[in-house]
């Protein structure tokens, strides 16, 4: 069955990989992002099954107007992939930029919340739909410098579970994906303010997950039988694990 899928943050990384994978499987994708030129390039690559749509998820008015702003034939969105998000900085909380904290909350929390609120009514009215939220292992496992990024992803995970509580008994599904170490995207370069060398260091000596791995997980959860909901899915490469708990000893 061909689905109409809206992906935020679709100009690069996970979002572009998800768009490529789903168009390749015969679905139609509304690719939302701020960078028009990148979206146009993706449209050129993927053809008419991809609708480039310039959108900043932190612009509440634009998000609220989105369902009506979509062209006829694209308004019945079956799947919302809330992928737009970012991490900024890795300084300890007492040194971190307050502006960076506000930006992460605006995108990772408010943007995702507004997108969901804009598209969920149509899904409920049609009794058909799937919200896939891209959270992170940082939602559950703290690390130094993770502060607001991890907390914003904890919001995403808990919001996803709470959406399920409202939607139980409806055909609308909600899945929270929690990737760990994923290379091949702009994530770390953005986190370190464009410092590509520092970003490369995050993945040195590892075989991280790839954006295509995340796209495969999205594809899998979408293709499951309609009565089956994956609530949470935690994804790590084999070179990563969640332990041990840290203990700092004297001397
Ligand atoms: C990305 C994973 O470990 O950099 O969400 O926070 S991590």
């Amino acid at each position: 069955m061909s689905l109409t899928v809206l992906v935020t943050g679709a100009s690069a990384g996970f979002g572009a990989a998800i768009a490529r994978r789903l168009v390749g499987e015969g679905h139609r994708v509304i690719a939302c992002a701020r960078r028009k030129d990148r979206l146009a390039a993706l449209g050129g690559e993927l053809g008419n099954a991809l609708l480039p749509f310039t959108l900043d998820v932190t612009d509440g008015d634009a998000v609220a107007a989105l369902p009506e702003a979509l062209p006829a034939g694209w308004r019945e969105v079956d799947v919302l992939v809330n992928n737009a998000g970012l991490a900024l900085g890795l300084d300890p909380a007492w040194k971190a930029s307050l502006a960076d904290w506000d930006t992460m909350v605006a995108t990772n929390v408010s943007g995702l919340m507004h997108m969901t609120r804009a598209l969920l009514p149509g899904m409920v009215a049609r009794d058909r739909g799937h919200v896939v939220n891209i959270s992170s292992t940082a939602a559950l496992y703290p690390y130094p410098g993770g502060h607001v990024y991890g907390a914003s992803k904890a919001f995403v995970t808990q919001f996803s579970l709470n959406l399920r509580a409202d939607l139980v008994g409806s055909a609308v599904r909600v899945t929270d994906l929690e990737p760990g170490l994923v290379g091949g995207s702009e994530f770390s370069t953005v986190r370190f303010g464009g410092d590509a060398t520092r970003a490369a260091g995050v993945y040195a000596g590892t075989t991280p997950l790839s954006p295509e791995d995340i796209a495969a997980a999205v594809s899998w959860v979408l293709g499951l039988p309609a009565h089956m909901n994956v609530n949470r899915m935690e994804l790590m490469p084999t070179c990563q694990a969640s332990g041990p708990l840290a203990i700092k000893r004297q001397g």
Side-chain angles (χ1 to χ4, degrees), residues 223-237:
L224 291 170
H227 69 279
M228 186 171 169
N229 193 89
V230 175
N231 297 339
R232 297 179 50 226
M233 188 195 291
E234 184 179 298
L235 302 152
M236 288 184 188

Side-chain angles (χ1 to χ4, degrees), residues 106-192:
T107 306
N108 303 1
V109 175
S110 299
L112 180 140
M113 207 170 73
H114 282 243
M115 285 299 302
T116 305
R117 185 63 183 83
L119 292 175
L120 202 52
M123 293 184 184
V124 170
R126 292 186 291 277
D127 198 26
R128 190 177 78 240
H130 199 150
V131 179
V132 179
N133 288 331
I134 305 297
S135 180
S136 167
T137 49
L140 193 62
Y141 308 110
Y143 58 81
H147 37 73
V148 168
Y149 177 68
S152 74
K153 292 301 186 176
F155 171 89
V156 174
T157 295
Q158 194 61 23
F159 183 52
S160 304
L161 298 177
N162 278 307
L163 287 173
R164 287 278 301 129
D166 285 351
L167 292 164
V168 65
S170 89
V172 180
R173 301 188 286 184
V174 183
T175 297
D176 189 62
L177 289 187
E178 299 155 21
L181 190 70
V182 188
S185 81
E186 298 172 328
F187 178 81
S188 289
T189 313
V190 170
R191 168 168 251 172
F192 299 130

Side-chain angles (χ1 to χ4, degrees), residues 19-43:
R20 285 191 182 97
R21 170 109 190 188
L22 296 182
V23 167
E25 291 176 349
H27 304 299
R28 300 191 312 161
V29 172
I30 303 162
C32 297
R34 289 172 301 178
R35 291 178 292 187
K36 202 172 185 169
D37 52 336
R38 294 271 198 127
L39 290 179
L42 195 61

